[in-house]
Amino acid sequence: MSANTAPTAEDTTTKISRMQDPARFIPELSDVSAALFRATGNQSVPRTTINLVHLRAGQIARNTYLTVLNTSFLRKAGESEERITAVSSWQDALCFTAAERAALALVEATVQPAPHGQERVTDEVYAEAARHYDDKALATLTVAIGQINFFTALAVIGKPKPVTSLGDNQWD
């Protein structure tokens, strides 16, 4: 298929992702991934909050893979459809705690570009997050945002097939 040719039905049904599984070429990625999951799984921030943050980052990146994956994690954790759906408009949704709102504001400030000459994470956004999270939790939340940014690059460049479980085949 040339660069100027639209994919055919055959191309879209046989090809899982745009690139092969990067872990085939860089086996250390499994170690990095496992270390990030261990670091964010230290229980200083509820796993639900981390998944809400990851879902919001996937939405901002407009990446179906990350959105579907993190939506499925939230469903498996028993989250309501109202809360999952409301992540995209969390600012006026009444179903999030103040701590979850602070985490969602922090991920938005981190991953979205700021207007020219302004910083992304303002002192106000940081102070609000620090009001709800102690030092360890704030460091964990920061690593969780870095974790999703790491996976965002793989997801938007590699374009793996959307999956509802990490056990599903997502790469060619």
Side-chain angles (χ1 to χ4, degrees):
M1 178 170 57
S2 76
N4 297 327
T5 306
T8 65
E10 181 180 325
D11 292 332
T12 58
T13 57
T14 59
K15 190 109 172 109
I16 295 174
S17 65
R18 186 165 28 203
M19 66 189 254
Q20 292 186 35
D21 181 357
R24 284 184 55 206
F25 306 106
I26 308 169
E28 297 83 1
L29 285 178
S30 296
D31 295 335
V32 170
S33 178
L36 287 169
F37 277 103
R38 279 192 312 275
T40 60
N42 65 28
Q43 300 181 350
S44 64
V45 177
R47 178 53 64 185
T48 297
T49 301
I50 291 172
N51 289 133
L52 291 170
V53 163
H54 286 180
L55 174 57
R56 186 65 189 127
Q59 291 170 340
I60 292 167
R62 296 184 305 174
N63 184 267
T64 302
Y65 171 78
L66 293 172
T67 302
V68 169
L69 182 65
N70 286 290
T71 296
S72 74
F73 288 159
L74 288 162
R75 283 188 181 120
K76 287 177 186 173
E79 283 299 317
S80 70
E81 289 301 313
E82 175 190 11
R83 281 174 46 86
I84 293 169
T85 304
V87 168
S88 65
S89 58
W90 66 268
Q91 297 89 342
D92 64 357
L94 302 177
C95 55
F96 298 108
T97 67
E100 289 168 339
R101 289 176 180 285
L104 290 165
L106 190 61
V107 72
E108 281 196 4
T110 302
V111 301
Q112 293 187 107
H116 182 71
Q118 295 180 18
E119 63 182 331
R120 288 182 182 195
V121 179
T122 64
D123 290 342
E124 293 78 19
V125 168
Y126 181 83
E128 184 62 17
R131 234 172 47 85
H132 298 284
Y133 298 99
D134 65 20
D135 291 343
K136 181 177 181 178
L138 194 52
T140 300
L141 190 55
T142 301
V143 170
I145 293 169
Q147 176 186 29
I148 196 62
N149 283 330
F150 173 81
F151 288 113
T152 297
L154 292 170
V156 299
I157 295 168
K159 204 173 183 181
K161 172 187 156 194
V163 296
T164 57
S165 165
L166 288 176
D168 292 344
N169 191 11
Q170 54 198 311
W171 297 96
D172 283 336

